[in-house]
Amino acid sequence: MTFLEIPLITKSSILNECKFPWINEVKEIVGFEPIFIGCSLTKGCANNCSYCWIKYKYEKKNFRNWGPKSGAFHKIEFCKNALDLLVKELPFLPSNAVIIASNMTDPFPDIFFESPTYFQIFKQWLQLLRNNWVLFITKNAKIFRYLDFFNPERHIIGLSITGRLSSKEKEKYEPNSSRHLARIVTLSKAKKLGHKIFASIEPPLKPTPEIIQDLINYNLDSATMVCGLANYELETLWSAKDYIRFYDETILLKEKYDLKLSWKTDALNQIDAWKAKEDLTK
């Protein structure tokens, strides 16, 4: 696939302040109160996950300005002036900025590693971000081969970890993402290279304690782990009793292994509400 085979777009800005739920966890990693800045080089996301909330809003709520002109969120478009914009905008970031790559898409589409042209863009992008705090969140384990291009002093390597899926389950939920254990191995290599590592356990497509145990088994107990709930597309996946059990079991694991593990605030609030309701029925 060549540069011209992907639809190209032009943006007026590439760095924009955004809201993210992990402020306390990121603060503990970087040592200061962060302002989150989103950075997306593409529109759309090739992972094509069935539960993606942005895909839901784009394809079902018709928020067309959020996605590509193609009409399908998994057909990505690339910002052709992304690097030029970064050169202009990076010097004006506040000193407590932490860039989230990416807040709207997976930052590492396969095209970065399949096309010589895009691979050069990938390397130039990381070089431009070298002196900035960046939290990368991806499901693409192919960065395993290129972790030397990241700066372990400032770049936090984050993988979205959803659990061991059968081939049928993977095709249903996240057809174009890397497999669970490949993501785990990528985190493991990042740790060995001295990177700060982050695991976003959301949505849990398998029981949360099972996912955390996989991280522990691969010596990733030092990773910052944040757990969340499945969204409206997966409402029937787990019951309230499941989540209460998951929460209680993850807290036991946290205490046993001294993990840097937390649950998102909205998830905690929902679990507390379920627990209160369960208490009332006893």
Side-chain angles (χ1 to χ4, degrees):
M1 186 175 287
T2 66
F3 189 82
L4 295 177
E5 286 174 340
I6 292 182
L8 302 178
I9 57 173
T10 302
K11 289 187 177 184
S12 58
S13 178
I14 201 74
L15 299 175
N16 299 284
E17 189 169 345
C18 64
K19 294 182 179 179
F20 247 71
W22 303 325
I23 190 162
N24 290 328
E25 291 79 9
V26 173
K27 178 181 177 180
E28 188 167 332
I29 294 172
V30 301
F32 55 82
E33 192 83 18
I35 292 176
F36 290 142
I37 305 293
C39 179
S40 298
L41 273 59
T42 65
K43 274 192 171 186
C45 181
N47 288 334
N48 201 22
C49 300
S50 64
Y51 51 78
C52 175
W53 70 273
I54 301 177
K55 175 182 173 181
Y56 172 83
K57 288 184 176 295
Y58 171 64
E59 295 184 351
K60 297 188 178 181
K61 295 297 185 180
N62 205 31
F63 290 173
R64 293 297 181 185
N65 59 313
W66 286 23
K69 299 173 185 176
S70 60
F73 192 73
H74 65 279
K75 296 181 179 179
I76 64 170
E77 296 173 346
F78 185 82
C79 177
K80 64 182 180 181
N81 63 330
L83 299 184
D84 290 338
L85 288 172
L86 274 175
V87 170
K88 293 178 182 179
E89 296 176 21
L90 282 173
F92 297 98
L93 285 184
S95 59
N96 62 335
V98 174
I99 295 171
I100 304 291
S102 163
N103 59 318
M104 299 288 280
T105 69
D106 193 308
F108 304 116
D110 278 347
I111 189 65
F112 273 176
F113 315 115
E114 295 170 352
S115 158
T117 299
Y118 278 96
F119 186 64
Q120 290 302 316
I121 292 172
F122 162 74
K123 291 196 295 183
Q124 290 173 44
W125 180 46
L126 293 186
Q127 187 59 41
L128 286 172
L129 295 177
R130 186 161 185 81
N131 296 321
N132 296 91
W133 281 103
V134 188
L135 170 56
F136 297 96
I137 294 290
T138 183
K139 292 177 184 171
N140 196 339
K142 290 179 182 176
I143 64 167
F144 173 91
R145 301 193 294 265
Y146 309 107
L147 287 170
D148 288 338
F149 295 149
F150 295 79
N151 178 5
E153 297 299 319
R154 293 289 184 111
H155 292 171
I156 306 162
I157 305 299
L159 273 290
S160 174
I161 310 292
T162 53
R164 299 189 189 206
L165 304 181
S166 66
S167 296
K168 187 175 181 180
E169 289 172 323
K170 190 173 181 307
E171 183 62 28
K172 177 181 179 181
Y173 292 122
E174 39 185 47
N176 300 330
S177 65
S178 296
R179 289 199 169 274
H180 169 75
L181 287 182
R183 300 181 213 174
I184 297 277
V185 168
T186 296
L187 271 184
S188 182
K189 182 178 180 184
K191 177 185 175 180
K192 290 176 182 176
L193 290 174
H195 286 283
K196 301 163 182 66
I197 50 177
F198 190 101
S200 171
I201 306 171
E202 184 185 21
L205 300 176
K206 292 294 178 180
T208 310
E210 176 184 305
I211 298 170
I212 293 169
Q213 191 63 58
D214 273 341
L215 290 165
I216 293 168
N217 291 346
Y218 277 79
N219 297 316
L220 294 169
D221 48 292
S222 63
T224 298
M225 308 176 194
V226 182
C227 304
L229 307 179
N231 64 17
Y232 34 71
E233 289 291 299
L234 301 169
E235 289 176 344
T236 60
L237 184 60
W238 308 116
S239 68
K241 287 186 177 180
D242 288 328
Y243 277 119
I244 292 171
R245 184 176 75 256
F246 292 170
Y247 174 77
D248 290 341
E249 291 178 2
T250 60
I251 296 305
L252 288 174
L253 286 169
K254 175 179 180 177
E255 293 172 351
K256 180 178 180 179
Y257 294 98
D258 193 26
L259 303 175
K260 293 183 285 186
L261 182 151
S262 59
W263 282 73
K264 288 173 62 178
T265 301
D266 61 342
L268 279 177
N269 291 340
Q270 183 62 72
I271 290 169
D272 286 342
W274 283 326
K275 283 187 173 184
K277 187 176 180 179
E278 189 177 70
D279 290 342
L280 289 173
T281 60
K282 289 180 179 179

